[in-house]
Amino acid sequence: MTRLHNDPAAFADEALEGFVAAHRRWVRPVPGGVVRATAKTPGQVAVVIGGGSGHYPAFSGLVGQGLAHGAAVGNVFASPSAQQIRGVAKAAQAGGGVLLMYGNYAGDVLHFGQAAERLTGEGIPTQTFAVTDDISSAGPDEAHKRRGIAGDLPVFKAAAVAAEQGLPLDEVARIAAHTNDRTRSFGIAFSGCTLPGADHPLFTVPEDRMAVGLGIHGEPGIGEEDVPSADEAAELLVATLLKELPEGIGSPDGQRAAVILNGLGSVKYEELFVVYRRVSQLLADAGVSTVDPEVGELVTSFDMAGVSLTLTWLDDTIEALWTAPADTPAYRKGAVPEAAPADEESYETETGPETYTASEESRQAAATALDALRRLKETVDTHADELGRIDAVAGDGDHGIGMRRGSTGAYEAALHAKELGAGARSLLTAAGDAWADKAGGTSGALWGIVLRALADALGDTERPTPASVAHGVLRASDGVRRTGGAEVGDKTMVDVLVPFAETLGRQADAGASLSEAWDTAATAAETAARDTAHLLPKMGRARPHAEKSLGTPDAGAHSLALIVRAVHGALATYK
């Protein structure tokens, strides 16, 4: 378990601070993450990688010559926010455009996509690419839905070396896609990981059993088998990957492959070498020539006891990129040319206005909104452990941590805006931006959308009415569905947000006061949240473990129901 920590909500920030202090030869801190400490090459494409904390050496440990130009680092098991990604990309870019790379998780897709849109709009050509190497997370016919795990490394490296060769952005992105198409990974585990501050792992495996086909966010495996010997584990890993060869490779015989045997956190190097001994034999027996194999911790999951095997099937282009030298804090190969240190630079940080313009009526509404955000934060704080436990049934268990960081950030930003005279729109906009930035992950992005939609509907001049509040909630519902892609029945927060919004709208149309309308809508939300226990998830990390979640409500739906009930307390005197 993770024993050494201070405030669990601050763990990711403090870990990054310590990492930078220990590796100043390679990296320097910027808002949102780290960039290379060496001088930029003008006109070169910048490869910026990123994802949640808890996977070291991914992602910050892979920044340096021959690998990434920068890394955006999110909260524990949560994607970095679009603001973080944009900050790192702007610091890393050298005039040739930016390729944003990440594992294929919903929160990463949302935030990296939003960052790419903003960067491109600011005149920095930006593309995104999601790694999809985990064969256990979806079938070959849905390969685009697969997760990115230890296959991140060869795909990141191929793109980064191509960028250093001076290739243009489109060609760097093409090489990333080509390498990804020829990369496959599969993993097993004997115990789950424990998040900072938690007193139990995200999943457990019965004694003498192992989980098969797990992810790197504490997700349980898709099945269980008896604990094998080291040789039997190697045989399972190799046989599984050889069953699915990339298109164009009819037989492994005569092929070359980059091989990664990856420790997920608490399997020791000596154990990995015992397993790799047999992996090497089996690949040789199949006619596969291994090229520069890697055995060690490349993408971890805190203290998870498990291993994964990655095969990247090489051609002449990918082999040259794979064997090229690299020099990063956690991954080194060959010798890179000595590079000059970067000049001291100051990196922009965005701040809100020092004063706001708003009507007195809107400022009064802002006071009510601040009280609602305070109650929201207190409710999340009270239920954070419960939300993590629910989320861990079929997901990664980070929902409570993410909601706590998001709600705390939102309240603090709103309090600051209120002190500067903000109206309802400005206060809720500041809160929404802070929630998305501090929480990251899918829920961070979606809660940012919710608060911004409410903000736009309320404005900074008029006194909010039941109709305008209901309109804002309906806009929030539409925005969440449009951005997240979920609909009612997919077992997400949408299953609560839609009936809440529709009920609130009907009550407002019928002439109910805001407090009365919200009370009725909150009751509908609570019923809808309980009903998600009977649904199978169709979105997100819980999808591969759908059956495990039967009988348990969705964490996002449950938290939303708790929140709207808590907010009702702030509306009791608002007419």
Side-chain angles (χ1 to χ4, degrees):
M1 62 185 297
T2 309
R3 297 176 175 85
L4 295 174
H5 58 81
N6 298 307
D7 177 359
F11 183 88
D13 294 336
E14 292 180 349
L16 184 63
E17 183 181 351
F19 165 77
V20 170
H23 296 101
R24 295 190 186 278
R25 182 166 80 82
W26 292 276
V27 300
R28 63 174 55 194
V30 297
V34 294
V35 296
R36 291 185 187 181
T38 51
K40 300 177 184 178
T41 300
Q44 188 175 103
V45 172
V47 173
V48 173
I49 64 175
S53 298
H55 305 302
Y56 191 83
F59 297 89
S60 54
L62 302 179
V63 174
Q65 294 182 83
L67 246 163
H69 296 77
V73 183
N75 188 29
V76 173
F77 290 178
S79 68
S81 69
Q83 177 78 345
Q84 288 178 282
I85 298 160
R86 173 177 167 271
V88 174
K90 292 193 75 170
Q93 68 93 20
V98 176
L99 179 62
L100 302 176
M101 303 186 71
Y102 47 92
N104 189 34
Y105 299 89
D108 294 292
V109 172
L110 285 175
H111 286 288
F112 279 90
Q114 290 173 353
E117 290 179 1
R118 292 182 64 183
L119 289 163
T120 299
E122 293 168 357
I124 303 173
T126 304
Q127 296 186 32
T128 65
F129 188 80
V131 180
T132 56
D133 60 302
D134 179 15
I135 67 171
S136 68
S137 53
D141 56 332
E142 293 185 312
H144 63 285
K145 295 183 178 180
R146 288 177 168 174
R147 304 176 290 215
I149 52 175
D152 283 354
L153 175 61
V155 181
F156 292 168
K157 187 172 187 296
V161 176
E164 290 188 343
Q165 291 175 347
L167 297 179
L169 179 58
D170 286 346
E171 184 64 9
V172 173
R174 186 197 68 79
I175 285 174
H178 177 56
T179 308
N180 183 71
D181 288 344
R182 297 172 72 94
T183 300
R184 305 284 188 276
S185 298
F186 182 72
I188 58 176
F190 313 102
S191 70
C193 59
T194 304
L195 298 180
D199 58 5
H200 58 276
L202 293 179
F203 73 89
T204 57
V205 183
E207 190 174 354
D208 298 325
R209 300 282 285 175
M210 71 172 178
V212 176
L214 65 149
I216 58 167
H217 293 91
E219 307 99 328
I222 59 174
E224 289 182 2
E225 295 185 11
D226 291 337
V227 170
S229 65
D231 282 359
E232 290 168 341
E235 290 159 7
L236 172 63
L237 293 168
V238 172
T240 302
L241 291 181
L242 292 186
K243 287 178 183 175
E244 188 187 315
L245 300 175
E247 187 176 350
I249 299 179
S251 166
D253 187 38
Q255 300 293 332
R256 296 162 290 160
V259 183
I260 299 172
L261 185 64
N262 176 58
L264 282 161
S266 64
V267 175
K268 307 311 294 180
Y269 273 67
E270 288 87 345
E271 296 174 87
L272 292 173
F273 290 136
V274 172
V275 175
Y276 186 73
R277 159 192 157 274
R278 183 59 177 152
V279 167
S280 179
Q281 294 170 354
L282 292 166
L283 291 174
D285 291 345
V288 179
S289 298
T290 59
V291 178
D292 277 10
E294 295 287 345
V295 179
E297 294 183 347
L298 282 308
V299 179
T300 60
S301 184
F302 275 117
D303 59 335
M304 185 185 291
V307 299
S308 65
L309 181 66
T310 299
L311 298 180
T312 297
W313 298 93
L314 303 174
D315 56 18
D316 291 345
T317 298
I318 301 175
E319 182 170 350
L321 301 170
W322 173 245
T323 58
D327 185 27
T328 77
Y331 184 85
R332 299 165 204 170
K333 178 180 289 188
V336 302
E338 185 174 351
D343 295 332
E344 289 297 325
E345 299 181 55
S346 60
Y347 300 103
E348 68 177 86
T349 56
E350 295 185 352
T351 58
E354 292 301 315
T355 59
Y356 292 92
T357 300
S359 70
E360 186 57 34
E361 287 184 327
S362 187
R363 286 184 173 135
Q364 291 175 3
T368 300
L370 180 64
D371 184 32
L373 288 166
R374 177 186 61 80
R375 293 169 185 265
L376 184 162
K377 173 187 173 300
E378 291 173 351
T379 295
V380 169
D381 286 344
T382 299
H383 295 277
D385 290 344
E386 175 195 9
L387 295 174
R389 177 188 59 77
I390 292 172
D391 189 37
V393 171
D396 55 16
D398 71 337
H399 187 67
I401 291 176
M403 291 293 288
R404 175 176 281 165
R405 282 175 62 101
S407 60
T408 299
Y411 175 70
E412 291 175 351
L415 180 61
H416 181 65
K418 179 66 172 62
E419 291 170 347
L420 297 176
R425 181 185 187 278
S426 296
L427 182 141
L428 288 172
T429 296
D433 289 348
W435 192 313
D437 188 39
K438 296 297 184 182
T442 306
S443 67
L446 299 182
W447 271 98
I449 290 170
V450 167
L451 292 178
R452 270 187 162 274
L454 275 170
D456 290 343
L458 299 187
D460 276 333
T461 57
E462 302 298 324
R463 176 178 174 81
T465 64
S468 63
V469 173
H471 177 64
V473 174
L474 284 168
R475 288 183 60 178
S477 176
D478 291 341
V480 166
R481 281 183 289 173
R482 182 173 59 255
T483 303
E487 293 294 343
V488 173
D490 288 344
K491 196 165 187 173
T492 70
M493 68 181 293
V494 167
D495 289 292
V496 169
L497 183 54
V498 169
F500 175 75
E502 292 177 348
T503 303
L504 186 66
R506 287 194 297 270
Q507 291 293 307
D509 289 344
S513 70
L514 180 57
S515 177
E516 294 169 339
W518 196 281
D519 183 28
T520 302
T523 300
E526 291 162 340
T527 300
R530 288 192 296 270
D531 288 346
T532 62
H534 309 299
L535 298 174
L536 291 172
K538 299 177 183 177
M539 302 284 291
R541 295 176 192 165
R543 182 180 54 82
H545 314 288
E547 291 77 12
K548 292 180 181 290
S549 75
L550 275 178
T552 302
D554 175 70
H558 183 56
S559 63
L560 177 56
L562 290 172
I563 284 169
V564 296
R565 176 52 67 192
V567 167
H568 177 248
L571 305 177
T573 60
Y574 196 89
K575 302 300 183 182

